[in-house]
Amino acid sequence: MDFMTAVKTCFSKYVTFSGRAQRSEFWWFALFTTVCSIILTIVDSVLFGTVTTGPGSFEAQSDVAILSSLFSLAVFLPSISVAVRRLHDTDRSGWWWWLILVPIIGIIVLIVWYATRGTSGSNRFGEDPLGGAGHGGGGANFDEAYTPSSIPNVSND
């Protein structure tokens, strides 16, 4: 799944907590939200940041982050839903998402699970998002929407 497809999929499944999400869908959406948040924070600081004019005439300071706050609200539910669907792909309940509330350890565990390869074939949460019996390597059956890698396979011999 490429970047634009992942972003479109996450927004089209805005509050869909059922089903599965492959690794690329989750990580592309995480990159999108992170980069947009950084850019909007910079824009907020430029537009609504500290304003100072001549000596003793006017000084104003604002810590209001209007644009980045609106963006954060807009992607809050899609971010949770893609995280839950990613957990489903690793055959874990979406309730494990609440580990995010455990300082440091919970976040580390979730990152490891998000980076873990999903289960091959269908599991209790639905069909394999890659559509095949295996992920990655040669011989995997891909849906028409996904093209196999152009990197040649090298035998282990």
Side-chain angles (χ1 to χ4, degrees), residues 48-86:
F48 308 111
T50 303
V51 177
T52 306
T53 59
S57 60
F58 181 76
E59 185 175 322
Q61 183 176 0
S62 174
D63 291 330
V64 177
I66 296 171
L67 299 176
S68 57
S69 297
L70 289 174
F71 178 76
S72 295
L73 280 173
V75 297
F76 180 69
L77 289 176
S79 296
I80 294 173
S81 68
V82 74
V84 167
R85 287 185 278 117
R86 180 71 204 122

Side-chain angles (χ1 to χ4, degrees), residues 147-153:
T147 57
S149 172
S150 61
I151 300 172
N153 286 334

